[in-house]
Amino acid sequence: MGTENAEAGGGSHPMRRLVFAYYVTGHGFGHATRVVEIVRHLIEAGHEVNVVTGAPEFVFTGEIKSSNLKIRNVLLDCGAVQTDALTVDRLASLEKYRQTAVKPRDLILATEVEWLKSIKADLVVSDVVPLICRAAVDARIRSICVTNFSWDFIYAEYIMTEGFQHHSIVWQIAEDYSHCEFVIRLPGYSPMPAFRDAIDVPLVVRRVHKSRSEVRMELGIGEDVKLLIFNFGGQPADWKLQEEWLPSGWLCLVCGASDTQELPPNFIKVRKDAYTPDLIAASDCMLGKIGYGTFSEALAYRLPFVFVRRDYFNEEPFLRNTLEYYEGGVEMIRRDFLAGQWIPYLSRALMLHPCYDGGINGGEVVAQLLQDTADGKNCSTVKSGARRLRDAIILGFQLQRAPGIDISIPDWYLLSENEVGLNHTLPNVEMNGDISLTHVGVPNVEVLYGQLHGLSDTVAFLKSLSALNDIDLGKSSDKHQLREQVAAAGIFNWEDEIYIARAPGRLDVMGGIADYSGSLVLQMPIREACHVALQRNNPNKQRLWKHALARQKAKERFTPLLQIVSFGSELSNRAPTFDMDLSDFVDGEQLLSYEKAQKYFAKDPSQKWAAYIAGTILVLMVELGVLFTDSISILVSSAVPEGKGVSSSAAIEVATMSAIAAAHGLSIDPRDLALLCQKVENLVVGAPCGVMDQMASACGEANKLLAMVCQPAEVKELVTIPTHIRFWGIDSGIRHSVGGTDYGSVRIGTFMGRKMIKSLASSLLSRSVENTAVPIDVGDNELDVFEEENIELLRNEASLNYLCKLPTHRYEAAYAKKLPKLLTGQIFLEKYVDHDDTVTVIDPGRSYAIRAPTKHPIYENFRVEAFKALLSAATAEEQLSALGELMYQCHYSYSDCGLGSDGTDRLVELVQEMQHRNSPKQTNLFGAKITGGGSGGSVCVIGRNNIESSKEILEIQQRYKNATGYLPIVFDGSSPGAGKFGYLKVRCRPSAKSSMD
């Protein structure tokens, strides 16, 4: 990494007594305990340390007895708010930080500056409170951070997924950190690009006071007894530890047990004042959650650590990877942890050989660096922005930064990216004709059936599959492999057939959210696609992960089992693997209901992604009666970026179901397959999407627009894109989520509007037939009585099944003014009972927009019809101008529905600026619109198919980055849908390697 490692004892102690102000984050005890170790060394050197913390005073005074230690109990940040022991509430974390550190910012700064001056501090140390770095500058005092992560990194993903309204928080935190002189970086660190320089140090770990034998003697435990230390705070209230959860002859020390908690005889309650490092060093294995404290002590004392993943605890992947690199960690799946299936994991842990060979004197080293800096020495070395950014991009995990919009972006962020020359564009996917795999470096894969269709991404996937075959699972060098690669290498029998399917993402050219109202839509499959490799095996032959094997053996027979590996898990908060017994899809004598399946996958957020894949199996069982008697191994590798509004989820569903169908000899029409995949998303995942995404992924063709009427899914035709027209997608950087609140509420408002229109039509029909005038009351609005209408027309509108069947002139003439702009769910339910949408639920306490969401699909259907007709019209300037105008109208209609975003609006404005800066004959770009579910994601741009247009798209990309700090992905090009691709049946030639250890 090119960082500087500090050695202990490199400098002499300063002659004068120094005063340190040491600020500790409110994020758990792990920070406080490591600060204790550093502070102890500073105190022993004769200095005064003022600790500012929200942690209890005894954490420090219990270990340090000195008048030079002064504790000031103040909380200046809040860390991550947890909903339970294993899950972070991202939105609540952002909101609490706003309340704790943003709103009272000016008061905090003034107070801390005055206090720092009053104690005559020589150095401010932060672990890792952002605001205090700015306060130190204002007080004219040097500051240093000591940490393994920074809050701008942690909160960045929270903002991208949960709370974009808090986007300024990340930039403010990063700006505060940039005032710090340098960061002393601890092992297992995550990206920290805000800091100008970093010095790496050994582990900061609490020292042991007693030997292993002394501790065991005090506990009355012999050396021959296997001892587990259970270091897990926040146990579920209704959860009881059971005697049979431990292997025979084991004992377990329970830390943090409540006074009233009852324990089985093989579990021992640890005293509140017990010194945990001594207990850890005396144990044979640890079970708990990964935090810096448990991580460092497990490494330092070479103790095997069985850990349970925490959701959205964003520093964890880096600690975990370091732990596993030194062969010290085993991940326990959450459901096995809660169910007490501990034994296979504990047995596996005892087979590990932890080999951490780094220093454990970090407390001493850090204290020396702090002394030297406070005494005026320059301990840091200046690095370029490029070097800083390279240090930040570790283990394949790149910081996702929220667009700053109108927030001032620190120059060092932009300069760092420029110096590295990051290129987010993707390589050309298509190649000319089919090719020999041997000629492109994949000689070990034999294609038994299917065609490559000249797709280089498919060749790349086959190459990665071949590489997995070459991994030797029996060698210790495999610790250098990514966890997901090792996991994938262990699930396939390489001498047997593997089925491969491919499904692309899609660019929503026109139609968007009108799909669930029955609109005509136009969708283009993009270059980026998802590949799924699948193998079915007799349960007795399937290669199993250790915990799955133990679960099967406990049944005393092997039953069909599903194992999934998802590539790219290191880039997001998800576990790389998932497994389940297929019998879990059976509830008594019936198949598991969709409602129960949704709850099953939602129990562990880090594995909720498996619902998109495993859900296809349940849907095939329920809808088609398919029986799965074999075990199934699945590898998923998707190049369709998540959260960009280009249907990453549909690509995964379609590719998975296509692979399952191919491997099991199921003949499913692409249209029917798309409808089944929609059920996966609606009923198993729980996202209320329409069907156009799955249809485009399954039925689309390269360089054509799939024209379909979503009533429910009728393909009208494949519209060839004229050679003079080209479409691009540009990602705004604002994460789109089809399961998000905005999309769902707009959909609910649309269905409420349809129900009200039908009710109005029924009343008018009744009036026309009976010739009686009865006022119609909707909420507080009494509606005027309509003029007499055609009875047949009213009869059709009273039974309206799709809003898009209502012509625009009828909507304006009869209903537009009669629909309220807003209506509460309670008032609607009292009058209309239900909105007749099976995938959304009305919240009685919420107000829903009605008029705009109802109007949008009616007019959007008209716009799409006009767009489709114009595409086949004679080539002319007017054609492109009219197409672009329709896209602009669609974009602004999204905004009226509340589904716009600052980022996508900015991109559309940039297209308009580009369009109007030239004369009409020199115009290259003609229109743009937000895509898919809205509320972020990407925009679709239409322009001429020429070099000048491509240059202007790249200029827009650069201008957007200059304005927001985010370099958007450009989607350019098309590829075939899953139906056109078909499937591949391949076999990997055997490779000499040992079996799984």
Side-chain angles (χ1 to χ4, degrees):
M1 299 293 296
T3 55
E4 289 67 38
N5 287 280
E7 301 296 337
S12 59
H13 294 315
M15 296 301 294
R16 64 190 183 93
R17 179 171 177 269
L18 299 168
V19 177
F20 295 90
Y22 209 134
Y23 288 79
V24 187
T25 183
H27 181 63
F29 273 14
H31 294 266
T33 56
R34 73 187 183 200
V35 167
V36 167
E37 185 63 19
I38 298 168
V39 169
R40 182 175 65 81
H41 283 283
L42 292 173
I43 298 261
E44 288 176 357
H47 306 302
E48 176 187 318
V49 183
N50 297 264
V51 176
V52 184
T53 180
E57 188 169 322
F58 73 82
V59 175
F60 300 90
T61 57
E63 182 71 9
I64 303 172
K65 310 293 185 184
S66 172
S67 60
N68 282 341
L69 171 67
K70 304 180 187 305
I71 307 294
R72 178 168 165 247
N73 201 256
V74 178
L75 184 67
L76 297 181
D77 71 356
C78 60
V81 177
Q82 295 187 214
T83 55
D84 57 45
L86 293 169
T87 307
V88 170
D89 187 326
R90 294 167 289 181
L91 193 57
S93 299
L94 294 168
E95 179 58 31
K96 188 169 182 181
Y97 186 85
R98 190 177 74 86
Q99 296 293 337
T100 305
V102 177
K103 291 182 70 175
R105 177 180 175 83
D106 291 342
L107 177 60
I108 292 173
L109 283 173
T111 302
E112 296 310 307
V113 168
E114 182 179 352
W115 180 76
L116 288 170
K117 290 179 177 178
S118 71
I119 66 170
K120 295 181 171 56
D122 293 291
L123 185 70
V124 172
V125 188
S126 176
D127 182 357
V128 62
V129 181
L131 187 146
I132 202 58
C133 300
R134 175 55 189 266
V137 170
D138 293 347
R140 300 181 182 278
I141 303 170
R142 301 168 78 181
S143 66
I144 291 175
C145 285
V146 182
T147 184
N148 62 296
F149 72 86
S150 58
W151 286 113
D152 55 332
F153 168 73
I154 299 295
Y155 287 154
E157 186 179 348
Y158 297 176
I159 286 168
M160 296 291 284
T161 55
E162 291 290 327
F164 192 75
Q165 67 271 26
H166 297 291
H167 62 271
S168 61
I169 287 177
V170 164
W171 294 116
Q172 186 62 72
I173 290 174
E175 189 68 40
D176 286 343
Y177 283 146
S178 72
H179 296 297
C180 170
E181 189 160 321
F182 61 92
V183 61
I184 296 176
R185 194 165 57 181
L186 304 176
Y189 60 84
S190 62
M192 294 184 279
F195 296 106
R196 291 175 293 171
D197 194 10
I199 297 178
D200 288 329
V201 297
L203 282 173
V204 174
V205 60
R206 291 182 289 178
R207 58 180 177 168
V208 293
H209 294 162
K210 299 176 183 177
S211 68
R212 173 186 172 95
S213 58
E214 287 176 326
V215 173
R216 283 180 170 249
M217 186 178 297
E218 288 180 2
L219 295 172
I221 298 173
E223 285 292 337
D224 58 334
V225 175
K226 294 299 180 186
L227 187 62
L228 171 70
I229 181 165
F230 184 46
N231 209 340
F232 193 97
Q235 299 172 27
D238 57 348
W239 192 63
K240 292 185 178 180
L241 297 167
Q242 304 292 330
E243 183 175 357
E244 62 270 18
W245 292 4
L246 295 180
S248 177
W250 281 53
L251 291 177
C252 179
L253 302 176
V254 182
C255 300
S258 67
D259 295 334
T260 58
Q261 186 174 0
E262 296 182 2
L263 298 179
N266 52 348
F267 287 79
I268 303 170
K269 192 177 296 187
V270 172
R271 300 192 323 269
K272 298 288 186 185
D273 60 348
Y275 188 60
T276 308
D278 286 348
L279 299 177
I280 289 175
S283 299
D284 298 290
C285 185
M286 178 160 59
L287 172 59
K289 300 172 289 186
I290 295 183
Y292 184 84
T294 53
F295 155 85
S296 62
E297 285 159 4
L299 279 183
Y301 305 124
R302 297 190 177 183
L303 185 72
F305 188 1
V306 179
F307 59 87
V308 184
R309 179 188 293 261
R310 285 192 271 187
D311 298 308
Y312 315 118
F313 190 68
N314 289 348
E315 67 183 283
E316 182 181 271
F318 305 95
L319 299 175
R320 184 187 71 232
N321 286 338
T322 304
L323 189 69
E324 292 178 342
Y325 178 84
Y326 290 111
E327 301 184 64
V330 173
E331 179 180 351
M332 180 183 289
I333 295 173
R334 183 182 302 185
R335 65 176 182 272
D336 286 343
F337 169 71
L338 296 174
Q341 302 295 326
W342 294 6
I343 293 176
Y345 298 96
L346 299 178
S347 300
R348 169 68 172 157
L350 289 188
M351 296 170 62
L352 296 178
H353 301 286
C355 57
Y356 178 73
D357 53 2
I360 60 173
N361 61 333
E364 180 183 358
V365 174
V366 172
Q368 186 66 57
L369 285 168
L370 298 181
Q371 289 178 115
D372 290 345
T373 304
D375 200 34
K377 295 181 181 178
N378 183 12
C379 297
S380 63
T381 58
V382 177
K383 295 184 187 178
S384 68
R387 188 170 177 187
R388 282 187 276 117
L389 194 64
R390 276 197 296 271
D391 284 350
I393 305 170
I394 55 175
L395 303 175
F397 196 122
Q398 183 176 349
L399 174 63
Q400 296 183 45
R401 289 161 296 158
I405 309 303
D406 296 321
I407 302 299
S408 175
I409 309 302
D411 288 341
W412 39 264
Y413 260 90
L414 300 180
L415 290 173
S416 295
E417 186 171 278
N418 290 337
E419 288 180 76
V420 171
L422 288 179
N423 183 4
H424 294 272
T425 59
L426 295 166
N428 193 323
V429 174
E430 294 189 51
M431 300 182 299
N432 295 322
D434 267 334
I435 52 175
S436 165
L437 290 179
T438 302
H439 292 159
V440 291
V442 198
N444 294 329
V445 176
E446 179 184 4
V447 177
L448 305 174
Y449 176 84
Q451 297 181 357
L452 300 177
H453 297 277
L455 295 166
S456 64
D457 63 338
T458 300
V459 174
F461 179 71
L462 292 174
K463 188 176 293 187
S464 69
L465 204 62
S466 176
L468 294 177
N469 186 22
D470 293 333
I471 292 177
D472 191 338
L473 296 170
K475 289 189 176 180
S476 60
S477 60
D478 288 329
K479 67 185 181 182
H480 297 283
Q481 299 284 344
L482 286 176
R483 301 171 72 243
E484 58 192 32
Q485 292 174 332
V486 174
I491 62 173
F492 291 121
N493 291 315
W494 297 102
E495 66 275 10
D496 294 339
E497 297 168 349
I498 297 174
Y499 292 82
I500 296 171
R502 177 190 185 276
R506 66 95 188 97
L507 183 63
D508 168 35
V509 175
M510 287 292 285
I513 58 168
D515 62 343
Y516 55 70
S517 296
S519 175
L520 175 70
V521 298
L522 296 172
Q523 306 297 306
M524 184 182 81
I526 59 176
R527 290 182 188 272
E528 293 74 20
C530 172
H531 286 85
V532 168
L534 181 144
Q535 186 177 75
R536 53 183 293 195
N537 283 298
N538 183 290
N540 293 309
K541 283 185 61 182
Q542 188 178 26
R543 302 178 68 184
L544 300 176
W545 295 316
K546 292 294 182 181
H547 64 272
L549 179 61
R551 192 167 70 239
Q552 292 276 296
K553 285 182 176 179
K555 297 181 178 181
E556 298 183 349
R557 66 188 182 93
F558 287 90
T559 59
L561 181 140
L562 172 67
Q563 293 185 132
I564 307 171
V565 178
S566 172
F567 275 5
S569 62
E570 299 297 336
L571 301 175
S572 61
N573 188 81
R574 65 172 187 264
T577 63
F578 174 86
D579 66 275
M580 64 179 292
D581 296 333
L582 290 181
S583 59
D584 290 347
F585 282 140
V586 179
D587 185 11
E589 296 183 357
Q590 303 293 324
L591 289 174
L592 192 69
S593 69
Y594 288 136
E595 182 180 6
K596 288 184 177 179
Q598 193 176 134
K599 291 178 180 178
Y600 175 90
F601 289 108
K603 283 190 293 188
D604 185 349
S606 73
Q607 291 191 321
K608 188 177 180 181
W609 58 266
Y612 294 98
I613 302 160
T616 61
I617 294 176
L618 178 61
V619 167
L620 288 171
M621 295 170 72
V622 173
E623 305 298 330
L624 300 186
V626 179
L627 296 177
F628 293 95
T629 57
D630 284 342
S631 291
I632 300 173
S633 298
I634 295 177
L635 169 63
V636 179
S637 178
S638 183
V640 185
E642 299 175 27
K644 307 301 184 186
V646 289
S647 297
S648 58
S649 59
I652 290 172
E653 293 155 356
V654 171
T656 301
M657 190 172 286
S658 298
I660 293 172
H664 291 81
L666 304 176
S667 179
I668 306 176
D669 179 83
R671 174 187 179 275
D672 294 336
L673 187 139
L675 289 169
L676 291 170
C677 288
Q678 185 196 17
K679 287 184 179 293
V680 175
E681 187 134 4
N682 287 168
L683 304 177
V684 182
V685 177
C689 71
V691 73
M692 71 176 190
D693 298 355
Q694 290 81 6
M695 285 291 290
S697 186
C699 306
E701 293 187 16
N703 301 312
K704 294 182 180 180
L705 299 181
L706 181 75
M708 59 170 288
V709 177
C710 305
Q711 300 180 14
E714 178 189 350
V715 176
K716 300 293 287 184
E717 62 182 301
L718 288 159
V719 181
T720 300
I721 300 172
T723 56
H724 66 285
I725 293 177
R726 190 168 178 179
F727 296 101
W728 297 264
I730 306 179
D731 155 44
S732 69
I734 302 173
R735 187 176 180 88
H736 157 77
S737 173
V738 75
T741 305
D742 288 337
Y743 177 91
S745 65
V746 170
R747 176 169 177 146
I748 289 171
T750 305
F751 278 85
M752 289 166 71
R754 188 191 69 166
K755 187 68 171 278
M756 296 170 77
I757 286 174
K758 291 173 67 175
S759 178
L760 287 165
S762 296
S763 298
L764 289 169
L765 179 64
S766 175
R767 174 193 161 198
S768 298
V769 173
E770 300 175 7
N771 198 26
T772 58
V774 180
I776 306 164
D777 182 47
V778 180
D780 297 327
N781 300 319
E782 186 175 283
L783 305 180
D784 296 331
V785 177
F786 287 127
E787 297 289 336
E788 186 175 350
E789 301 285 352
N790 180 279
I791 291 178
E792 186 61 31
L793 191 61
L794 288 172
R795 185 173 288 117
N796 290 336
E797 290 166 0
S799 60
L800 188 68
N801 54 351
Y802 291 102
L803 268 178
C804 290
K805 288 186 175 180
L806 185 67
T808 56
H809 70 276
R810 281 293 298 160
Y811 169 75
E812 292 292 350
Y815 304 110
K817 296 179 181 178
K818 314 303 178 184
L819 296 178
K821 288 185 177 180
L822 292 170
L823 192 68
T824 67
Q826 182 175 349
I827 292 176
F828 177 87
L829 292 171
E830 288 173 355
K831 182 171 180 63
Y832 300 101
V833 182
D834 192 15
H835 65 326
D836 301 328
D837 181 19
T838 59
V839 298
T840 57
V841 177
I842 295 175
D843 179 354
R846 180 169 182 175
S847 292
Y848 293 94
I850 305 294
R851 191 180 299 168
T854 304
K855 177 181 178 180
H856 174 81
I858 296 170
Y859 275 84
E860 183 69 359
N861 187 61
F862 168 77
R863 285 190 288 263
V864 181
E865 293 277 9
F867 194 96
K868 177 174 170 288
L870 280 167
L871 274 177
S872 58
T875 303
E877 299 298 326
E878 291 79 8
Q879 178 198 31
L880 275 164
S881 295
L883 290 169
E885 180 61 30
L886 290 169
M887 293 178 77
Y888 285 139
Q889 288 182 19
C890 169
H891 178 79
Y892 292 117
S893 185
Y894 261 79
S895 296
D896 290 343
C897 292
L899 292 177
S901 74
D902 291 339
T904 49
D905 284 348
R906 184 184 288 272
L907 284 169
V908 171
E909 289 168 6
L910 288 171
V911 172
Q912 290 176 346
E913 290 174 15
M914 205 70 67
Q915 176 183 359
H916 298 303
R917 76 180 183 182
N918 299 319
S919 64
K921 288 187 177 182
Q922 293 177 323
T923 298
N924 295 300
L925 303 181
F926 289 87
K929 60 174 280 289
I930 196 170
T931 64
S935 296
S938 300
V939 301
C940 176
V941 182
I942 186 173
R944 298 185 197 273
N945 185 14
N946 59 25
I947 294 176
E948 287 73 21
S949 294
S950 297
K951 290 179 179 177
E952 290 185 1
I953 290 292
L954 293 176
E955 184 178 341
I956 288 172
Q957 182 188 38
Q958 187 62 41
R959 289 176 63 183
Y960 188 80
K961 193 197 79 166
N962 293 341
T964 67
Y966 178 83
L967 184 69
I969 297 171
V970 173
F971 300 99
D972 185 8
S974 183
S975 68
K980 194 72 173 176
F981 180 86
Y983 68 91
L984 298 176
K985 182 165 64 173
V986 305
R987 182 186 292 121
C988 294
R989 295 182 179 89
S991 174
K993 58 182 184 292
S994 44
S995 60
M996 291 187 70
D997 55 1

